[in-house]
Amino acid sequence: MNSNTVLFALLFSLCLSCGELVPNPDDNVENITRDISEEKEKPKAEFAIIIHGGAGTILKKNMTSEKEAAYKAKLEEAIRVGYEILKNGGSSLDAVQKTINIMEDSPLFNAGKGAVFTNAETNELDASIMDGKTLNAGASAGTTTVRNPINLARIIMDNSPHVMMAGAGAETYAKEQGLTIVDPSYFYTENRFNSLKRIIEKEKTEQDQNNKQAFYDPEIKDSKFGTVGCAALDKNGNLAAGTSTGGMTNKRYGRVGDAPIIGAGTYANNNSCAVSSTGWGEYFIRAMVAHDISALMQYKGLSLKEAAQEVIQKKVPELGGDGGIVAVDKNGNMVAEFNTSGMYRATMNDKGELEIGIYKENED
Ligand code: ASP
């Protein structure tokens, strides 16, 4: 072999190994190419915000027009707070926190006032928030006296060296940091209490047969309506997400769901997206829902919609769970994906266009 032949052989094998002549069938080349071209076609949004007020068996036939109007009004009030912050150049973290505060203060949602009851007739609240720029995060679990748990999550992220605090310790920290503390009775609502009673009755009859803990309210067919969450992109290109909940009715033994688990209930990363989850927490923890969506985008090149569908329509139901997410990507694309009959949700873009949904798209 002369030196020219050797050089040619070397160059040829180099080309083959870098995959330019023979693409590796394992690479999702088609998807990656499509996503990149889609992203190029779409002008990047200046900012964007999306919220949810919980996913579950939400059927139009079970809804009164007054109730529907009340939910829509509260969703609009909440998202407009975040929208104004973003429009005025505020941070996505502030937008997420202040938007969630409105829903926490409303008895309509299973977060803050209106949280569901535990088996012991108490309210134990969970929350988390994440900053997509720094990957810093804060979370609190099982608090009973902090009026706005998302504020505690934010303070834990900003002012403490920790990511997560739970129970009495978290409450002491909240007090020390000057957050609003309330008597546990503040969280009482008749609706949620009656729901617990119905579930406990149902449990008594079912327990003999399956010895299983019941979570489903036989009257409203669901016991975990109304967790709240928000994901936002600000004018500086920073993503943030947050989630706040009372968890699941009739929970016992200090049960903690996905909402305060970073990567399950909440995740944000400026390189991919910001996600807030709602649904059956045990499954959302096992499927690492929020982080999985981000990872599918970051490492596999999927679009936000494709990643959300993969996790919510395949991975979670295959495990046996249900629920949904809201998310926004680094270009301001927003997605609300759920495998339940409904999810309270709203979006606002940088043009001030508002969309509110409750049921599946064609039923709204
Ligand atoms: N994910 C929450 C939990 O399991 C409940 C919900 O989102 O409805 O605690």
Side-chain angles (χ1 to χ4, degrees):
M1 242 194 264
N2 66 27
S3 59
N4 274 352
T5 323
V6 173
L7 196 67
F8 178 76
L10 256 174
L11 280 174
F12 185 71
S13 61
L14 202 70
C15 278
L16 279 184
S17 66
C18 58
E20 288 197 293
L21 289 180
V22 184
N24 178 353
D26 288 335
D27 286 345
N28 207 341
V29 177
E30 205 185 293
N31 273 343
I32 293 170
T33 323
R34 193 174 66 242
D35 291 337
I36 292 168
S37 61
E38 268 173 14
E39 269 173 24
K40 274 192 189 144
E41 275 163 31
K42 241 185 170 186
K44 191 179 181 311
E46 249 199 303
F47 63 91
I49 181 163
I50 183 162
I51 61 174
H52 70 77
T57 320
I58 310 167
L59 297 169
K60 209 174 178 121
K61 65 174 180 12
N62 296 338
M63 188 74 92
T64 63
S65 52
E66 292 78 33
K67 216 171 142 194
E68 196 178 289
Y71 273 107
K72 285 187 172 168
K74 203 37 98 173
L75 288 168
E76 177 168 353
E77 182 191 337
I79 201 165
R80 283 197 183 280
V81 168
Y83 169 81
E84 285 302 322
I85 293 173
L86 297 170
K87 193 176 131 200
N88 294 325
S91 74
S92 49
L93 279 170
D94 285 347
V96 164
Q97 182 184 351
K98 301 290 178 209
T99 298
I100 288 180
N101 282 162
I102 303 291
M103 294 188 280
E104 283 180 332
D105 290 345
S106 161
L108 288 175
F109 302 100
N110 171 18
K113 175 102 188 149
V116 298
F117 280 84
T118 68
N119 180 265
E121 301 185 357
T122 57
N123 307 95
E124 295 178 3
L125 289 79
D126 304 331
S128 65
I129 193 163
M130 186 161 183
D131 178 359
K133 182 184 175 191
T134 59
L135 300 190
N136 205 353
S140 66
T143 59
T144 57
T145 60
V146 180
R147 177 175 147 164
N148 293 102
I150 196 72
N151 295 356
L152 176 54
R154 177 79 190 264
I155 288 277
I156 290 170
M157 176 175 82
D158 288 348
N159 297 358
S160 90
H162 306 303
V163 168
M164 190 178 209
M165 295 184 192
E171 283 170 352
T172 305
Y173 188 67
K175 238 183 262 169
E176 278 176 20
Q177 293 287 317
L179 294 187
T180 306
I181 303 297
V182 290
D183 187 84
S185 62
Y186 164 81
F187 296 107
Y188 176 90
T189 54
E190 204 183 340
N191 264 351
R192 300 292 190 195
F193 193 68
N194 290 342
S195 194
L196 173 71
K197 291 281 155 212
R198 284 193 294 267
I199 291 181
I200 286 177
E201 272 315 302
K202 184 184 168 219
E203 200 175 51
K204 274 187 206 147
T205 53
E206 284 188 355
Q207 210 156 35
D208 298 337
Q209 300 147 27
N210 345 334
N211 199 23
K212 270 198 175 158
Q213 188 181 346
F215 285 120
Y216 286 91
D217 180 338
E219 193 165 295
I220 56 170
K221 309 259 183 332
D222 213 325
S223 58
K224 51 182 173 52
F225 284 121
T227 290
V228 306
C230 178
L233 169 73
D234 66 27
K235 285 185 176 174
N236 291 318
N238 291 323
L239 288 164
T243 311
S244 182
T245 189
M248 287 172 83
T249 313
N250 200 27
K251 63 184 182 180
R252 287 180 165 97
Y253 312 119
R255 178 263 187 195
V256 174
D258 60 315
I261 311 284
I262 297 302
T266 298
Y267 195 74
N269 184 334
N270 277 7
N271 293 317
S272 53
C273 61
V275 184
S276 169
S277 312
T278 172
W280 197 326
E282 278 68 14
Y283 295 95
F284 276 60
I285 294 172
R286 291 166 55 203
M288 268 288 125
V289 166
H291 180 263
D292 230 45
I293 292 170
S294 165
L296 283 170
M297 292 180 72
Q298 211 182 342
Y299 306 134
K300 221 180 168 192
L302 264 58
S303 70
L304 177 61
K305 182 77 186 164
E306 288 168 332
Q309 281 180 340
E310 181 69 30
V311 178
I312 294 300
Q313 307 301 353
K314 285 192 201 155
K315 191 174 181 184
V316 170
E318 273 165 20
L319 285 173
D322 62 357
I325 56 100
V326 295
V328 55
D329 72 12
K330 58 183 177 181
N331 292 326
N333 297 306
M334 294 182 276
V335 164
E337 193 69 40
F338 51 99
N339 61 31
T340 47
S341 58
M343 181 168 77
Y344 299 106
R345 60 199 186 274
T347 61
M348 272 189 97
N349 62 18
D350 54 3
K351 292 174 198 68
E353 290 159 345
L354 167 74
E355 275 180 34
I356 301 181
I358 297 179
Y359 319 102
K360 292 213 169 106
E361 250 157 65
N362 49 5
E363 292 164 21
D364 273 314

